[in-house]
Amino acid sequence: MGDMRIARCVADGNDPFYGIVSGDEGEEIVTQIVGDPFYQGVQPTGTTHRLEDVRLLAPVIPRSKVIGIGKNYPDHIAEMGGAPARVSPLMFLKPNTSVAGPNDPITLPSFSDEVSYEAELAVVIGRICKDVPAERVKEVVFGYTVANDLTARDAQRTDGQWARAKGWDGSCPIGPWIETELDPDDLRVTGELSTPGQEDELSQDGRTSEMIFSVAEIVAFASSAFTLLPGDIILTGTPAGVGLIEDGQSYTASVEGIGDLTNTFRR
Ligand code: MG
């Protein structure tokens, strides 16, 4: 598959469809494709829309899982008061009901007063696989998107498992689309907090080259435990600068070469 931006969207209130996003910034066109690119490849139809006329959805709803990797950036481990670097990736799961799309409003969970944002590079798996060696990971990757691994810090502290803290409805916005051709090893990852009436604040600013475990190592490691299915998502960890999000604020997570993912939060 060549270098493409694959989006999932709705137009005119019809059913969701997949499309290829092309064109210069501000003038992008979405060319509708046949069915589901995870199973049917990318076959353009003759139908096009202006990007500004469609509503972007989460570029995929994973059929089975979102796998998260925790504590993968040294500066983030330090800010959390954490232990030294790990010998293997720390893995957790988010259910597919946690997935939300670009610009979706996110309702903060009633059980938490401390929800934090975490801007991350997300890997989108393209084919069924198991026990993938690191040097063959490229063959099983469909592409990359941006994620916000929202985390209820209070529940993370008190619960023995992270299921509730990281798995609540809306805790995994992804988007704006999937970039199919990207070298993931040295990309800038940023996060900007926006408060009405105040100047936007660049709170996170890191590079994937700082990651303790590379994308290839993470996918290989995850596939040693789980069969990965087309459309599964693997989050790669967040750089330093995490902080809490409040009612009325919005957060924009960005990854170089992919784009911006913005969500607004409410109680
Ligand atoms: Mg995270």
Side-chain angles (χ1 to χ4, degrees), residues 94-248:
K94 291 165 91 88
N96 61 2
T97 43
S98 69
V99 172
N103 305 310
D104 280 353
I106 308 289
T107 302
L108 296 165
S110 57
F111 60 80
S112 176
D113 296 319
E114 291 181 41
V115 172
S116 176
Y117 46 76
E118 295 190 354
E120 307 198 6
L121 170 71
V123 184
V124 185
I125 298 299
R127 44 187 267 203
I128 186 167
C129 58
K130 178 84 170 86
D131 292 324
V132 183
E135 61 273 17
R136 295 190 61 188
V137 159
K138 217 167 181 278
E139 298 169 38
V140 306
V141 172
F142 183 92
Y144 300 90
T145 191
V146 183
N148 191 344
D149 175 25
L150 294 159
T151 304
R153 295 281 176 232
D154 37 9
Q156 190 178 32
R157 277 196 306 271
T158 56
D159 295 1
Q161 300 269 327
W162 293 358
R164 186 170 69 131
K166 284 184 175 283
W168 45 274
D169 288 357
S171 64
C172 192
I174 55 172
W177 39 60
I178 301 167
E179 177 63 55
T180 58
E181 206 59 51
L182 195 65
D183 179 346
D185 288 335
D186 187 22
L187 301 173
R188 189 178 181 202
V189 179
T190 58
E192 201 168 76
L193 183 65
S194 180
T195 307
Q198 293 182 26
E199 222 167 289
D200 293 350
E201 176 199 339
L202 183 69
S203 44
Q204 295 191 271
D205 190 359
R207 299 197 70 86
T208 58
S209 52
E210 300 161 25
M211 296 195 311
I212 296 166
F213 300 101
S214 69
V215 164
E217 288 167 331
I218 289 167
V219 175
F221 185 79
S223 78
S224 71
F226 307 115
T227 297
L228 303 179
L229 300 185
D232 280 355
I233 302 275
I234 304 179
L235 311 179
T236 58
T238 199
V242 298
L244 301 184
I245 194 114
E246 308 290 349
D247 179 46

Side-chain angles (χ1 to χ4, degrees), residues 23-36:
D24 293 334
E25 195 171 342
E27 295 173 11
E28 294 99 333
I29 295 291
V30 182
T31 303
Q32 210 163 322
I33 61 177
V34 177
D36 183 338

